[in-house]
Amino acid sequence: MDRSSLFQLIQEQLDPENTGFIAVENFTSLVEHHELQLDPSKLDMLLALVQSNEDGQVCYQELIELMSSKRSSSFRRAIANGRRTLQREILLDETGLGLYKRFVRYVAYEILPCETDRRWYFHQNRLCPPPVFIAIVTIVQIIVFMCYGIMLNKWVLQTYQPDFMKSPLVYHPGHRAQVWRFFSYMFMHVGLEQLGFNALLQLMIGVPLEMVHGILRISLLYMAGVLAGSLTVSITDMRAPVVGGSGGVYALCSAHLANVVMNWAGMRCPYKLLRMILALVCMSSEVGRAVWLRFSPPLPSSGPQPSFMAHLSGAVVGISMGLLILRSYEESLQKQCSWWVIVFSFITFLLFAIFWNIFAYELLGVQIPPPP
């Protein structure tokens, strides 16, 4: 009997009332007559769970988890339908852990609000693939900044240098036809203060998120924030250029902060209120600094300074798309209606922005400053 047929048998025959639990005698019959494929260690673990349960029942979640070594939304449905969980020691009680496993446990409590999810992540964590996306992006941003800093001999307010704005990486409304600029601007920064802020948040929040949710989901969220940032600027602040990875950074940060707020009771990270306030103050200060530089530049410049709208659009992406991603740990996004609503909304915005960039500038008679 294959696994899919076995799972269907469990759900339809062994748990007809859909409680999420299976009687021990039914489980024993399943093992004996249906060739249940469990290695000895998994079977011993499951039998130990049966013995530890006073009602003599097997949790459907535990059975599927052990058999498939793969999470699915059926686990949480089983727990919700059964309205109870097995009594288990919390992850903080684990002793004799090495340095890396202690770090993994720390990440689990920083990111995940549910003890079941934390234990699953802790025991299933592997170094392959490693969380390299955020690290690579940060390293490239630092290298690019160092190159321009040495070339211009200037480490703050680099956007006031004409040679900086001539970079093929900067988004400028006069170069809208060069599509890569809608992404590549994330490697350029106004100065050391913006780079330091973005790099710090990327590493402190982005790397743990990537460890838990994987490179594909976090890179998608980050790049969606970056693209939304440049497109939003092209619609709302049509004469301004854009530099900095703030769109992606704010997508990650706002998604994480929103997830913490919505799961406040379950989050076990220390000093969470103080850290929440500190993060909001820092993010608000960065937005305020960007607004000040946009409308009250401290030095004479040949054109508008970079826009701050990328920060805000990144936050919107994080609260919408990012929050759903973080709340769907090890669950299929494609099976969730809300995911397709968000994808459809983002694609609609993308198409609108494309047509806007093609036609609106000429129709509205926008006076774009000449590109450097």
Side-chain angles (χ1 to χ4, degrees), residues 138 228 248 287:
T138 304
V287 173

Side-chain angles (χ1 to χ4, degrees), residues 114-331:
C114 176
E115 185 66 23
T116 302
D117 289 341
R118 289 192 283 257
R119 292 186 64 88
W120 173 262
Y121 168 72
F122 178 80
H123 291 294
Q124 295 295 322
N125 175 261
R126 300 291 185 271
L127 279 176
C128 185
V132 297
F133 174 76
I134 295 297
I136 291 175
V137 168
T138 304
I139 292 172
V140 173
Q141 289 173 339
I142 293 174
I143 292 175
V144 171
F145 177 79
M146 294 293 294
C147 291
Y148 277 92
I150 294 173
M151 181 179 67
L152 301 173
N153 194 26
K154 191 175 182 64
W155 304 97
V156 295
L157 300 179
Q158 291 183 347
T159 53
Y160 290 89
Q161 300 293 319
D163 289 339
F164 179 88
M165 299 304 294
K166 291 179 181 178
S167 170
L169 301 178
V170 173
Y171 168 81
H172 190 281
H175 293 304
R176 299 189 313 281
Q178 299 174 358
V179 179
W180 72 84
R181 291 177 180 262
F182 286 90
F183 297 93
S184 62
Y185 78 93
M186 71 179 188
F187 297 114
M188 307 290 290
H189 288 82
V190 173
L192 186 61
E193 69 287 352
Q194 186 188 25
L195 173 65
F197 178 82
N198 285 348
L200 182 63
L201 287 183
Q202 284 177 179
L203 295 176
M204 291 183 61
I205 296 179
V207 171
L209 287 177
E210 189 177 348
M211 289 179 62
V212 173
H213 296 281
I215 185 173
L216 181 60
R217 292 188 175 188
I218 298 306
S219 60
L220 172 64
L221 175 58
Y222 188 91
M223 296 308 298
V226 169
L227 179 58
S230 55
L231 291 177
T232 301
V233 170
S234 70
I235 296 173
T236 61
D237 199 357
M238 300 171 68
R239 301 180 68 251
V242 189
V243 296
S246 298
V249 172
Y250 274 63
L252 296 178
C253 293
S254 59
H256 178 57
L257 293 180
N259 190 44
V260 171
V261 171
M262 294 189 66
N263 299 279
W264 189 261
M267 299 300 294
R268 298 289 298 274
C269 48
Y271 308 109
K272 56 185 177 183
L273 179 59
L274 177 62
R275 293 164 63 181
M276 172 76 70
I277 295 174
L278 181 61
L280 291 175
V281 169
C282 292
M283 294 172 66
S284 301
S285 300
E286 169 61 17
V287 173
R289 185 196 65 85
V291 173
W292 170 64
L293 290 177
R294 173 67 180 90
F295 295 111
S296 299
L299 297 175
S301 60
S302 58
Q305 287 299 295
S307 176
F308 58 90
M309 291 302 298
H311 299 69
L312 305 182
S313 59
V316 172
V317 170
I319 294 174
S320 55
M321 179 187 296
L323 182 58
L324 179 61
I325 289 176
L326 299 194
R327 295 182 65 186
S328 303
Y329 171 64
E330 288 291 341
E331 294 185 16

Side-chain angles (χ1 to χ4, degrees), residues 73-136:
S73 58
S74 62
F75 297 166
R76 290 176 178 170
R77 287 200 301 269
I79 292 296
N81 291 334
R83 295 184 179 179
R84 54 181 173 173
T85 58
L86 294 175
Q87 297 296 322
R88 309 173 68 173
E89 294 183 355
I90 63 174
L91 190 57
L92 287 175
D93 294 335
E94 296 277 356
T95 58
L97 301 177
L99 180 62
Y100 174 72
K101 294 302 288 185
R102 288 201 298 269
F103 177 68
V104 171
R105 181 174 63 181
Y106 166 79
V107 169
Y109 277 94
E110 284 289 313
I111 303 300
L112 297 171
C114 176
E115 185 66 23
T116 302
D117 289 341
R118 289 192 283 257
R119 292 186 64 88
W120 173 262
Y121 168 72
F122 178 80
H123 291 294
Q124 295 295 322
N125 175 261
R126 300 291 185 271
L127 279 176
C128 185
V132 297
F133 174 76
I134 295 297
I136 291 175

